[in-house]
Amino acid sequence: MSAEEGQFDNILLAVAEKHRGGVPEFLGTLASFLRRKTDFFTGAKQAEWEKLLLDVFKKESKLAMEAHGEKVKSREAAQRLKEEKERKEREARQKEINENKICDITDDEAAAIIKEEENKKRQQLLDGAGGEPATPINDDISKPIEKVDDETEKGELGKLMPNAGNGCTLDKYTWTQTLQEVELKIPFNVSFALRARDLVVSIGKKSLKVGIKGQEPIIDGELCGEVKQEESVWVLQDSKTVMITLDKINKMNWWSRLVTSDPEISTRKINPESSKLSDLDGETRSMVEKMMFDQRQKELGLPTSDDRKKQDILEKFKQQHPEMDFSKCKFN
């Protein structure tokens, strides 16, 4: 742009700043000036002054587009030069690292390198751990029942004896239970502190999966009974032990195993503490005690509480009607 071309810039900028409506209002002022102070519109034919305006604006438009194109090309060229420079710097830095030479890196780059190395070491530890749980002392593992004192308990032979928590202690984990919930403990035999994100714990309505990511799961099977997923939780204790609480849906039965692939325990050997029953309200406690009595009666081949009530009703009816023959009456 020549000096002569820009000699009125300051005056025009000052005028343009007075127009809050922008370019349309500014052009309107110029047209108004030509109308009021000159014969621009009346001294020539409309086609002539329209052509004059178009020629002027087309010329300026062409110059503007050429200047814009040059700016775009300049920016793109500068961007390419910048990217090429950064690429060469990265390659040079990587070459120095590969050759074990000292090089300057930013704090963010140093943090990223450290984090990547830590993740690699941690993954190596996880791979080496193999996802194996800690092995319990052999004396703690639940043992099969080898002898019974009552002939009615022959069916319990071979089943596992419940542990002190009315559950079972296996070589990979231990579980205990009340009528309301199941507590599961899985200790992992690792030489480092586990984090929650290292684990896979999936609790379904009737399924459970537990293990270390990328390893064979410790538990992956169908639960003995259904649980409330929203009320069942798990925590990582001491960075090496997974503790899981499963909230039973059916709170009237004892589980004979955790998952269907586990060996069965003898539910007849379960002895719930009286303090646990005392925690229940009166109606629930009566139902639980009745259920436990009926379960034992069935296992012994004896009449349940409902059977007894029916027998008592039948006996009273017999006494009231001695003339009737009840010899062929069978009680189901």
Side-chain angles (χ1 to χ4, degrees):
M1 180 181 70
S2 64
E4 182 179 351
E5 185 180 12
Q7 62 180 320
F8 300 112
D9 283 357
N10 292 335
I11 296 174
L12 291 173
L13 282 172
V15 174
E17 288 176 353
K18 301 293 185 179
H19 295 77
R20 295 187 178 182
V23 173
E25 185 178 334
F26 178 63
L27 291 176
T29 297
L30 291 178
S32 174
F33 171 78
L34 292 174
R35 173 180 58 79
R36 291 180 291 101
K37 300 296 182 179
T38 71
D39 63 349
F40 180 80
F41 295 108
T42 59
K45 296 180 180 180
Q46 181 175 347
E48 292 176 348
W49 60 258
E50 284 182 349
K51 181 177 182 302
L52 176 61
L53 287 175
L54 284 174
D55 289 344
V56 171
F57 277 92
K58 284 180 178 179
K59 175 186 175 182
E60 297 301 324
S61 173
K62 181 179 179 181
L63 293 174
M65 294 303 295
E66 290 175 352
H68 177 72
E70 290 299 324
K71 289 181 181 179
V72 171
K73 290 179 181 178
S74 178
R75 284 199 297 268
E76 291 177 348
Q79 181 64 25
R80 285 195 296 270
L81 289 174
K82 180 182 178 183
E83 291 176 354
E84 181 65 17
K85 181 181 178 182
E86 290 176 349
R87 183 185 65 79
K88 289 181 178 179
E89 289 176 350
R90 287 196 301 270
E91 291 177 352
R93 188 180 297 116
Q94 187 62 46
K95 183 178 179 181
E96 290 180 347
I97 293 174
N98 294 339
E99 294 177 355
N100 294 321
K101 293 181 179 180
I102 298 175
C103 67
D104 294 330
I105 59 175
T106 66
D107 292 341
D108 291 340
E109 289 173 329
I113 292 172
I114 292 171
K115 184 177 180 180
E116 183 179 357
E117 291 300 318
E118 287 179 348
N119 289 337
K120 287 180 179 178
K121 291 179 180 179
R122 186 167 191 83
Q123 189 58 49
Q124 290 174 355
L125 290 172
L126 289 172
D127 293 341
E132 290 298 322
T135 304
I137 301 173
N138 289 336
D139 292 342
D140 294 337
I141 295 178
S142 299
K143 302 293 192 303
I145 298 173
E146 299 178 349
K147 184 187 294 185
V148 294
D149 298 328
D150 194 323
E151 287 293 319
T152 60
E153 294 186 345
K154 281 188 175 182
E156 305 306 300
L157 291 173
K159 294 181 181 180
L160 299 184
M161 188 71 180
N163 58 22
N166 296 323
C168 188
T169 302
L170 301 172
D171 57 346
K172 294 184 178 181
Y173 51 86
T174 298
W175 63 275
T176 59
Q177 68 175 319
T178 64
L179 286 169
Q180 290 78 33
E181 60 187 24
V182 172
E183 294 282 349
L184 173 62
K185 179 179 180 181
I186 308 174
F188 285 91
N189 185 22
V190 292
S191 58
F192 58 95
L194 284 171
R195 294 178 294 194
R197 67 184 186 186
D198 297 327
L199 302 168
V200 175
V201 181
S202 176
I203 303 173
K205 187 175 182 180
K206 203 177 180 183
S207 64
L208 179 64
K209 182 177 182 179
V210 185
I212 291 178
K213 287 182 179 178
Q215 306 295 334
E216 190 71 20
I218 303 305
I219 301 174
D220 187 7
E222 181 181 350
L223 291 168
C224 183
E226 294 183 346
V227 299
K228 296 179 181 178
Q229 292 174 265
E230 65 278 7
E231 299 296 333
S232 300
V233 297
W234 70 276
V235 295
L236 179 59
Q237 187 179 70
D238 301 329
S239 299
K240 291 188 177 182
T241 303
V242 172
M243 303 290 293
I244 301 176
T245 300
L246 302 174
D247 189 19
K248 295 180 179 179
I249 289 181
N250 185 346
K251 302 182 184 298
M252 303 293 286
N253 288 331
W254 297 104
W255 283 15
S256 59
R257 48 171 67 94
L258 179 67
V259 289
T260 54
S261 57
D262 281 353
E264 187 177 7
I265 66 170
S266 172
T267 54
R268 290 186 61 176
K269 300 295 183 180
I270 289 178
N271 292 306
E273 298 178 11
S274 58
S275 59
K276 296 295 183 182
L277 290 177
S278 65
D279 292 339
L280 304 174
D281 60 79
E283 183 179 355
T284 304
R285 177 174 177 176
S286 297
M287 291 176 62
V288 171
E289 290 176 338
K290 177 180 179 297
M291 177 274 297
M292 293 172 61
F293 173 79
D294 290 344
Q295 183 175 345
R296 292 186 182 278
Q297 289 293 99
K298 287 181 180 179
E299 291 172 346
L300 294 171
L302 298 175
T304 63
S305 55
D306 290 336
D307 294 338
R308 287 186 172 184
K309 287 181 180 179
K310 292 177 182 178
Q311 288 177 343
D312 291 341
I313 293 173
L314 182 59
E315 289 300 323
K316 290 181 180 179
F317 191 79
K318 284 181 180 180
Q319 293 175 5
Q320 294 172 358
H321 302 277
E323 73 283 0
M324 298 180 66
D325 181 12
F326 293 92
S327 60
K328 295 182 180 181
C329 182
K330 291 184 179 180
F331 179 71
N332 295 322

